[in-house]
Amino acid sequence: MRKITKKPEVLAPAGTLEKLKMAIHYGADAVYIGGNAYGLRSRAGNFSFDEMREGVAFAKKHNAKVYVASNMVTHEEDAEGAGDFFRTLRDIGINAVIVSDPALIEICATEAPGLPIHLSTQASATNYETLNFWHQEGLERVVLAREVGMDEIKEIRQKTDVEIEAFIHGAMCISYSGRCVLSNHMSARDANRGGCSQSCRWKYDLFEMPESGEHESLLEGDPVEAFSMSAVDMSMIHHIPDLVENGVDSLKIEGRMKSIHYVSTVSNVYRQAVDAYCNDPDHYEFKQEWEDELWKVAQRELSTGFYYGIPSEDQQLFGKRRKIPAYVFIGQVLAYDEETKMATIQQRNHFGVGDEVEFYGPGFTHLRQTIDSLWDENDAPIDRAAHAMMIVKTKVNAPVKPFDMMRKKK
């Protein structure tokens, strides 16, 4: 008989306040966000202090936690004001900060006592000695490097008491623990200070470089991304039992720059899988519908990364994609009238009469139907919801709820 010693948290990305609320509604136990400084996603919708306060209040209401990623590599000028920043986070009620640079760790520990610190994956923690070192320095949790395998996690868990957080879904950086200088060289944007231009995702060709004349491609025909440094995405949905049994405390989903469609869908799926296993491990069965759901928001192919061995060429992106995402997010339910069976929807992408759509919601609820009528917010009949964020109404075949989402096949 299998015994679960601890149910891991599902940790979701939240690039904006809207995504924070959506992730929690769809089952996340915790979210991680970025502030306006010290993070690695300068182009994400980073949070102001006021937005953090609102996010923390919302999370507490739903028994969830909020962590702030402050995981940049600092140069001499970058640490100015860090003490005030961390003290403000502590006073707001942030549950922990995620840090990689020892300088920021020292500043946080000395100038904002009481604010828990988690070691970022950028710090490349790959062995139990490293985890024990940081535990002795006062850190509560370590986010493992994405190069760590499952057998290594098992040994780490046996030889340390520090909490373990591990990435289980999302994009994989091609560089060791994300420490890369390609972007610095190619676009003068510092990847380790929040400015990565994702040079590894660019398409490359092979050219002959004559001393004079035109550069000519050495590839015949019209190759599709023949040369790439880009990895496929990670998905551990098939391996929840391994993660739980080997003592991973927090299952981390990548993607602070992804859409609310992505955040809600992936949080929903992993919530179902974790609950199903932890509630009855002896009778747990993987459900194919979980993986099918993930493919509705996948941007790239999926693999298990380094968990079960070194990735092969099949875990790199080149040539034509072997699977292509099939769904587009088109709306969010704002209200539902039981008497008229009418749903009020905020449009997020074009749809109209005759479209086959799917509603989904927290708890893995699904409703598929064809849109046979539409009205605008003034109750005038229309054929299409063609304007961004417009409010429309339609009859639905079964009850829906606020925060339910709506999508259709591309």
Side-chain angles (χ1 to χ4, degrees):
M1 181 176 181
R2 292 176 173 175
K3 183 180 180 181
I4 304 301
T5 58
K6 183 178 181 180
K7 188 176 184 177
E9 73 175 8
V10 175
L11 175 57
T16 64
L17 188 57
E18 180 186 35
K19 294 173 189 176
L20 178 151
K21 294 179 179 179
M22 198 62 63
I24 293 172
H25 266 294
Y26 279 77
D29 299 297
V31 296
Y32 62 101
I33 67 176
N36 287 324
Y38 311 111
L40 284 183
R41 290 292 182 270
S42 60
R43 290 175 292 157
N46 292 315
F47 283 59
S48 67
F49 291 137
D50 285 341
E51 288 172 326
M52 286 185 188
R53 291 184 182 93
E54 184 176 345
V56 167
F58 182 89
K60 286 183 176 179
K61 183 179 178 181
H62 292 84
N63 298 314
K65 296 179 179 180
V66 180
Y67 310 135
V68 173
S70 304
N71 51 346
M72 74 181 297
V73 175
T74 58
H75 290 231
E76 292 300 338
E77 69 273 16
D78 294 324
E80 184 177 350
D84 289 337
F85 178 78
F86 289 129
R87 280 191 295 272
T88 303
L89 298 190
R90 179 196 61 190
D91 296 343
I92 286 172
I94 294 297
N95 296 98
V97 288
I98 307 168
V99 190
S100 66
D101 193 314
L104 289 181
I105 291 173
E106 180 70 13
I107 292 171
C108 184
T110 57
E111 299 197 32
L115 177 61
I117 304 172
H118 297 171
L119 188 72
S120 169
T121 189
Q122 299 291 124
S124 303
T126 58
N127 56 76
Y128 72 85
E129 293 93 343
T130 297
L131 270 70
N132 283 331
F133 169 83
W134 286 112
H135 200 197
Q136 291 166 8
E137 293 296 310
L139 274 63
E140 294 186 355
R141 179 185 294 184
V142 170
V143 188
L144 295 179
R146 277 178 256 197
E147 298 82 24
V148 175
M150 192 63 70
D151 289 340
E152 294 174 306
I153 292 177
K154 182 178 181 180
E155 182 177 7
I156 289 170
R157 178 71 293 156
Q158 291 171 346
K159 297 179 178 179
T160 182
D161 293 328
V162 68
E163 289 187 2
I164 294 174
E165 181 175 306
F167 279 93
I168 51 104
H169 194 92
M172 291 283 287
C173 183
I174 204 67
S175 293
Y176 200 91
S177 295
R179 294 178 298 176
C180 177
V181 293
L182 276 177
S183 177
N184 302 54
H185 284 288
M186 293 183 172
S187 59
R189 286 167 48 177
D190 193 333
N192 295 296
R193 287 197 282 177
C196 182
S197 60
Q198 297 191 327
S199 303
C200 63
R201 303 286 188 195
W202 298 355
K203 297 181 179 181
Y204 292 89
D205 203 341
L206 182 64
F207 292 91
E208 184 177 10
M209 303 289 286
E211 293 184 4
S212 60
E214 295 291 331
H215 296 166
E216 295 183 2
S217 172
L218 296 178
L219 303 178
E220 297 180 358
D222 184 22
V224 180
E225 198 170 354
F227 294 95
S228 172
M229 292 173 282
S230 191
V232 303
D233 287 357
M234 176 195 290
S235 175
M236 289 292 287
I237 190 60
H238 283 273
H239 305 282
I240 296 302
D242 279 357
L243 292 162
V244 177
E245 290 174 14
N246 285 301
V248 178
D249 298 280
S250 179
L251 308 180
K252 189 169 191 172
I253 300 164
E254 183 275 338
R256 279 196 290 130
M257 296 178 68
K258 301 285 181 64
S259 68
I260 60 171
H261 183 208
Y262 172 90
V263 170
S264 60
T265 298
V266 179
S267 299
N268 211 6
V269 169
Y270 281 98
R271 175 79 279 146
Q272 298 304 305
V274 170
D275 286 352
Y277 180 69
C278 292
N279 292 344
D280 192 1
D282 290 316
H283 299 94
Y284 172 81
E285 291 184 3
F286 175 81
K287 294 183 179 180
Q288 184 58 41
E289 63 185 9
W290 297 337
E291 183 179 15
D292 295 342
E293 191 80 356
L294 292 176
W295 276 111
K296 294 175 183 178
V297 293
Q299 293 186 332
R300 306 177 186 95
E301 296 168 54
L302 302 174
S303 78
T304 55
F306 288 84
Y307 278 109
Y308 300 103
I310 303 298
S312 70
E313 67 276 9
D314 292 331
Q315 280 77 58
Q316 305 301 314
L317 285 178
F318 61 90
K320 293 183 178 179
R321 290 187 181 184
R322 293 184 284 275
K323 266 196 175 180
I324 299 175
Y327 284 79
V328 59
F329 171 46
I330 57 174
Q332 178 184 339
V333 175
L334 301 180
Y336 171 71
D337 188 298
E338 292 186 3
E339 183 176 343
T340 62
K341 300 187 184 328
M342 193 81 72
T344 302
I345 298 164
Q346 184 182 66
Q347 186 259 37
R348 297 300 182 96
N349 220 315
H350 289 199
F351 68 94
V353 174
D355 286 346
E356 293 183 1
V357 302
E358 177 184 61
F359 293 90
Y360 70 94
F364 218 66
T365 61
H366 290 82
L367 168 65
R368 296 174 180 85
Q369 71 171 67
T370 299
I371 299 294
D372 56 18
S373 55
L374 271 178
W375 294 266
D376 66 16
E377 59 185 325
N378 297 314
D379 296 325
I382 56 175
D383 291 327
R384 304 288 299 173
H387 306 296
M389 306 295 281
M390 71 182 295
I391 307 301
V392 299
K393 300 175 183 178
T394 189
K395 287 197 172 184
V396 289
N397 297 337
V400 292
K401 298 177 181 178
F403 291 102
D404 282 2
M405 312 286 271
M406 183 178 168
R407 58 189 169 206
K408 68 176 182 177
K409 284 188 176 181
K410 289 186 179 180

